[in-house]
Amino acid sequence: MSAHERLVALRRSIALTVALRVLLVGFAAGIAAAALARVAGAGAWSAVMALVAFVAVSALSASTLRSIRSLSRVALWVEERTPSLRYALVTVADGVQSPALEVQALGTPWWTEAQRTLARSLMAPAAAAVVVSALALWLPSFVQARTGEMAGSSATNAREAARVTDVLAVIHTTITPPAYANRPATTAVDPTNIEALVGSAIVLSGNGEASRLTATADSAGRSVAQRGAGWSLSLPMPARPALVRLHSDAGRDRLIVLAPVIDAAPAVTLLLPARDTILRRATGTLGLRAQLRDDIGLRDADFELVVSSGSGENFTFRTAVVARTQLLGRAESLLEGRLSLDSLKLEPGDILQLRAVARDANNVTGPGVGSSETRSIRVARVDEYDSVAVDAAPPPEAEGQVLSQRMLLDLTLALVKRQSSLARPVLVGEAQRIADDQRKLRKRVGDVVFQRMGGEPLAEEGSDAPAPGKLTPEEVLKRADAVTNTAGNVMDVEGDETPILAINKPLLEAFNAMWDAGRALEVGEPARAVAPMRIALAAIQRARTAERIYLRGRPSTVIVDIATARLAGKDKGVSSISAPRVPLDPAVRRRSATFERVSALMARDPDAAADSLLLMRVDALGDAPQLAAALDDAARALRKHDNAAIPLAWMRVRRSLGGASEQRAGITPWLGAP
């Protein structure tokens, strides 16, 4: 059978199917009209109403028969359901004949799927006709028997239904993120935990009267509004974990944990220039490149430049911004630009400092600002050149310290100028960020002082040791004596000052001045930090200009005769000493005791046990996120009475209470019994 013949046969099938649908729909409409007429007491008019409904509905439905007279319309109907035909069937319907076209039109068995579609289209009208016929037989007698009874008890039933309805039976949640996140709203049913960005709009709703419900969020009352036939509670996502408690007049409570998601600041990595450098002449073009990432979306980014000129106490600064780019909410991007060094007109001794800065679109708690590390490019002075042959090396540590201290002083002066226009919380936040950088630089200066004496670096950051304050010369000598046992001998020299103090005196002065500057910045008083920051900068400058000794060439390599040195030591072996057990953290001990009480309560009152787990989750969200996640899973399992998931969730909570598992190197995993 050719494609044209199959298309003509399909048109006949469609016409027959449409006719059957018209009859079924008209029959259902006529029966429904007759039943309604009998209920209304129309009597003999019910048959007339049924006939009118049948004719009217059939006439409206029969209008589709005219659209199938065109064979092209039928072909298009098939093409919509079988795109692989590529309009071959429409071309055949237009009268075009070609063997290749015939093969393409019959390559897919479209007629089988078309017949199935037609058969399925009859199911709904047939079911409607059956249902309407059954209702027509049952409705009149039911209405006659129940009309009086329903009229007398409808008001009573409505009041009883309203009384017994549990307003906390089902809780619906709608979470709308802030507009800057560009994320769709989400919904949930009966949540135990809501995780959303800070500032998201949260709407809790349910069935029943709002007057029968009270709500609190962290012990603060919240108003519950009436929305149609149900209640509604609206609240924003706070910046800290909170607990929402819903209490009904029937004595039932529901607890929901609000777990805020903090919008992280952008992460910026400076790719070019790759390192600090010194130039003989500042000419040419410098390539700039930085990698930008954000958890939600970036707003804009640029490269910030600071050019410092001068020497001693006389310095001038110039700032500029290049390659500013609008990122339009992208989560990841590459910032590139080119900087003409000729346009900066750098003179010998000038220092160019640059970094990449990115900002996100957070207008609720931000915007978040992320910056890369700072690169320094210095133009060499004429008096720096000499004939000593030394290996090429990056700028010394003192060079990096003076550059960093100069930038911190510049940032502090800029903050002092803007102090009158900033709110107190914003001023304190920006001052504390500068204080963090000042503390890091102070640690580096202290490391230089004590490493010169062979000691260990200061334990000021990244450890549990307390941060040292100011250091006196006596404390410096005491540390030198502790690590070298020679400080006492060094002091027995002629002069007013020992060599060890003479070497470290400028850096020690900078170390103590940075302490005063950091304390002033921590309490939000940048004006009081300017003077000690300048003292620290001058002290580091003096350390830079100290006498330098250059070695001619590389030091010789020390060769050890291993055969002679082996087993020549005087130390005697000692037995190993067991490491003491770390005392249990008080917070972990308290949570473990609470969890044991919850385990005992689980058998008697699972709902109360689930509420106790949610209270533990609020406490653990700040410092134990793994434990908080395990507690949420356990509370969900208890609420659903899932006996298969409860043991597994309980085991996860116990493991999380004991801390993260450790994996030791050299121990292969167990692969099962042989």
Side-chain angles (χ1 to χ4, degrees), residues 279 282-286 339-346 352 377:
L279 301 178
T283 59
T285 303
L286 182 65
L339 176 64
S340 174
L341 296 178
D342 298 307
S343 64
L344 297 177
K345 299 180 181 180
L346 299 178
L352 168 64
I377 300 174

Side-chain angles (χ1 to χ4, degrees), residues 143-384:
V143 170
Q144 293 174 2
R146 299 295 182 182
T147 299
E149 180 180 353
M150 291 178 61
S153 61
S154 57
T156 304
N157 291 339
R159 290 191 298 268
E160 182 67 13
R163 187 185 66 81
V164 301
T165 298
D166 185 2
V167 293
L168 296 179
V170 179
I171 298 178
H172 299 274
T173 306
T174 303
I175 305 169
T176 305
Y180 78 88
N182 197 21
R183 294 180 177 178
T186 58
T187 59
V189 179
D190 287 337
T192 59
N193 172 72
I194 298 177
E195 293 184 1
L197 287 170
V198 176
S200 298
I202 302 173
V203 178
L204 304 176
S205 59
N207 297 324
E209 298 179 1
S211 59
R212 301 177 51 206
L213 186 67
T214 58
T216 59
D218 273 356
S219 302
R222 296 283 183 173
S223 60
V224 183
Q226 188 72 34
R227 293 289 186 271
W231 56 269
S232 176
L233 171 64
S234 301
L235 66 163
M237 175 60 74
R240 295 182 178 180
L243 185 69
V244 177
R245 183 188 299 272
L246 302 175
H247 177 75
S248 67
D249 58 358
R252 184 178 180 184
D253 288 340
R254 290 289 297 272
L255 302 181
I256 300 176
V257 177
L258 301 182
V261 177
I262 306 299
D263 184 5
V268 184
T269 304
L270 188 61
L271 304 179
L272 287 179
R275 59 185 61 85
D276 298 343
T277 186
I278 300 177
L279 301 178
R280 183 181 294 269
R281 289 184 300 274
T283 59
T285 303
L286 182 65
L288 307 177
R289 183 182 302 164
Q291 182 69 42
L292 316 174
R293 293 185 181 87
D294 190 62
D295 53 346
I296 296 178
L298 298 162
R299 186 187 68 186
D300 58 67
D302 52 49
F303 291 100
E304 294 183 353
L305 310 178
V306 177
V307 179
S308 59
S309 305
S311 61
E313 293 295 331
N314 299 320
F315 278 94
T316 60
F317 298 94
R318 292 178 290 157
T319 60
V321 174
V322 298
R324 171 159 289 184
T325 305
Q326 298 295 327
L327 301 174
L328 304 177
R330 283 177 286 180
E332 192 170 330
S333 181
L334 190 67
L335 179 64
E336 294 182 307
R338 301 191 69 81
L339 176 64
S340 174
L341 296 178
D342 298 307
S343 64
L344 297 177
K345 299 180 181 180
L346 299 178
E347 301 293 335
D350 290 354
I351 301 174
L352 168 64
Q353 302 169 76
L354 62 90
R355 65 175 183 173
V357 179
R359 289 162 285 272
D360 60 21
N362 185 355
N363 55 5
V364 178
T365 60
V369 180
S371 60
S372 68
E373 57 181 328
T374 303
R375 295 278 188 263
S376 299
I377 300 174
R378 184 168 65 87
V379 182
R381 297 186 299 272
V382 178
D383 57 358
E384 293 185 33

Side-chain angles (χ1 to χ4, degrees), residues 662-668:
E662 298 181 0
Q663 182 177 1
R664 299 181 180 179
I667 302 179
T668 58

Side-chain angles (χ1 to χ4, degrees), residues 42-185:
W45 288 97
S46 59
V48 177
M49 294 182 65
L51 181 60
V52 171
F54 175 83
V55 173
V57 174
S58 299
L60 291 175
S61 302
S63 61
T64 58
L65 287 171
R66 291 177 296 182
S67 61
I68 63 175
R69 290 184 297 178
S70 173
L71 198 60
S72 298
R73 295 289 297 273
V74 177
L76 285 173
W77 181 79
V78 176
E79 292 275 1
E80 289 176 356
R81 287 154 179 78
T82 313
S84 59
L85 293 174
R86 298 179 174 273
Y87 296 99
L89 199 60
V90 176
T91 308
V92 171
D94 290 338
V96 180
Q97 296 181 357
S98 172
L101 189 63
E102 190 75 8
V103 172
Q104 182 179 354
L106 296 176
T108 303
W110 48 267
W111 51 88
T112 304
E113 182 60 26
Q115 294 294 340
R116 292 190 187 128
T117 303
L118 295 176
R120 287 194 297 268
S121 65
L122 293 175
M123 296 176 61
V130 173
V131 171
V132 169
S133 301
L135 289 176
L137 295 176
W138 171 75
L139 184 61
S141 58
F142 176 81
V143 170
Q144 293 174 2
R146 299 295 182 182
T147 299
E149 180 180 353
M150 291 178 61
S153 61
S154 57
T156 304
N157 291 339
R159 290 191 298 268
E160 182 67 13
R163 187 185 66 81
V164 301
T165 298
D166 185 2
V167 293
L168 296 179
V170 179
I171 298 178
H172 299 274
T173 306
T174 303
I175 305 169
T176 305
Y180 78 88
N182 197 21
R183 294 180 177 178

Side-chain angles (χ1 to χ4, degrees), residues 26-42:
F27 175 79
I31 295 298
L36 293 176
R38 290 179 60 189
V39 170

